[in-house]
Amino acid sequence: MGKTIMMLASLGNRAMPANDMPPDVLEDAAAAFEPLRPRLTRLAYRMLGSVADAEDVAQEAFLRWVMTDRAGVRDAAGFLLRVVTRLCLDQLKSARHVRETYIGPWLPDPVVQAPDDLGEDAADALTLPLMLALERLSPPERAAFLLHDVFGLPFAEVAPAIGREVATCRQLASRARVHIQAARPRFPVAREEGMRLAAAFFTASREGDLARLRTLLAEDVAAYADGGGRVRATLEPVLGIDAAMTLLAGLARLFTRTPSRLLRYALISGLPGFVTVEQGGTLQTTALDIQDGRIRAVYVTRNPDKLRHLATSP
């Protein structure tokens, strides 16, 4: 009960009416909401690409749940998924300018899992490339696809969540599927093989073994680094193996002077990779998109604002 009151109090003055409610009412609301919180947070993260924003949206949804006449809600999960969707759509309107003026490549906040952690249900598991594909969709397309294809809501329930007709929602989801399908790997790499290649990439890149590195990369490899203007990072994607090798050769000289500190190998937003501490104490995640046995893309997140939720201990 104390945890619930603290969560409400953290929302500021808007939560005061809820704080005046009898304890058993708050406990009843929390009992129904808390088992759904991880799923609601995942939906918000997929809509927004930010861990902190997703947690804030889930908490706002809880406040609205407390203030709702819950006796008239037949399906709490469906109701709350719709609430979270509407909150995310509102937030995306204000986030549009931020994305347009973002310095360098934008990547979603990394979600780090142990290599043997099965994590969330496969039904709503999305890898980093799929998250980027979602980012290229319009907010209504993203919402229609996530609610129907990922979280299983019928279009009759999707429609009021995004303020569109049922037929329109079907079209939005259909268009989204085309983009998402193009981003799905034809032959996903086995987890063990992915982690082996991640270890090989880390070792070769830090030791400056350029010959070994070249054998690991696909000819059309692309590298993206998200520093957000906060820390040093490439401002444009590095495309093609020759450009990537030039970049890696330069980084190898840096690693010789200031070695990386490996914290752990992990799944980074569903991709094999690793977490390190780099020059100047900069926390960094590196995720590798592996297809047909070669690394097709390297995603490096260095923006400290996107890494606050990660522990720095191995």
Side-chain angles (χ1 to χ4, degrees):
M1 180 60 212
K3 179 181 178 182
T4 300
I5 292 294
M6 288 177 63
M7 288 190 300
L8 288 169
S10 70
L11 293 170
N13 292 334
R14 293 181 304 112
M16 290 306 293
N19 284 338
D20 292 337
M21 288 184 174
D24 59 332
V25 173
L26 292 175
E27 284 288 359
D28 176 71
F33 184 89
E34 291 305 320
L36 298 171
R37 184 186 289 272
R39 196 168 188 227
L40 299 171
T41 304
R42 289 199 297 270
L43 171 60
Y45 170 72
R46 281 149 179 71
M47 287 289 295
L48 303 173
S50 165
V51 171
D53 288 347
E55 292 172 346
D56 287 346
V57 164
Q59 188 62 8
E60 174 67 21
F62 175 63
L63 175 62
R64 297 195 180 198
W65 177 243
V66 169
M67 304 303 294
T68 295
D69 179 8
R70 295 181 299 281
V73 178
R74 291 181 296 176
D75 177 12
F79 174 87
L80 287 166
L81 286 170
R82 294 191 295 274
V83 169
V84 165
T85 299
R86 289 192 289 269
L87 290 170
C88 289
L89 289 173
D90 289 342
Q91 185 156 329
L92 284 171
K93 293 176 184 176
S94 60
R96 186 176 304 158
H97 176 70
V98 174
R99 298 287 174 84
E100 290 174 350
T101 59
Y102 195 79
I103 299 175
W106 179 93
L107 297 176
D109 292 6
V111 175
V112 177
Q113 295 173 265
D116 57 352
D117 182 2
L118 296 179
E120 62 204 48
D121 295 339
D124 60 2
L126 294 177
T127 63
L128 195 155
L130 295 178
M131 285 286 295
L132 290 174
L134 286 175
E135 180 67 18
R136 292 189 288 272
L137 302 175
S138 69
E141 286 173 337
R142 196 182 317 174
F145 173 79
L146 287 171
L147 288 175
H148 181 266
D149 287 41
V150 177
F151 289 90
L153 264 63
F155 283 116
E157 296 184 29
V158 174
I162 63 178
R164 304 294 178 91
E165 298 294 330
V166 171
T168 302
C169 291
R170 292 182 187 277
Q171 294 172 352
L172 291 170
S174 178
R175 289 201 298 267
R177 267 181 230 117
V178 173
H179 293 283
I180 295 298
Q181 191 59 38
R184 292 187 186 278
R186 292 175 299 168
F187 305 104
V189 65
R191 187 167 297 192
E192 297 78 7
E193 175 65 6
M195 299 313 300
R196 184 189 70 78
L197 287 171
F201 179 84
F202 174 81
T203 300
S205 62
R206 269 55 183 181
E207 294 180 355
D209 188 346
L210 300 182
R212 174 60 173 151
L213 275 172
R214 196 173 188 99
T215 68
L216 297 174
L217 303 179
E219 288 294 323
D220 59 348
V221 66
Y224 306 85
D226 182 342
R230 297 287 310 282
V231 296
R232 188 175 181 180
T234 54
L235 296 179
E236 298 290 341
V238 176
L239 306 177
I241 193 168
D242 291 334
M245 290 304 302
T246 299
L247 173 65
L248 290 168
L251 290 174
R253 292 190 290 272
L254 175 63
F255 295 139
T256 299
R257 297 193 302 270
T258 309
S260 300
R261 179 160 65 94
L262 176 66
L263 296 183
R264 56 193 175 276
Y265 291 107
L267 291 174
I268 311 295
S269 300
L271 299 181
F274 43 86
V275 184
T276 55
V277 175
E278 304 295 344
Q279 185 181 42
T282 300
L283 186 64
Q284 174 176 304
T285 62
T286 301
L288 307 175
D289 184 11
I290 300 170
Q291 298 182 36
D292 299 323
R294 298 290 182 92
I295 298 170
R296 291 286 303 276
V298 180
Y299 300 99
V300 175
T301 302
R302 294 170 54 79
N303 185 345
D305 293 338
K306 297 189 174 187
L307 299 170
R308 290 173 180 167
H309 61 288
L310 301 182
T312 57
S313 58

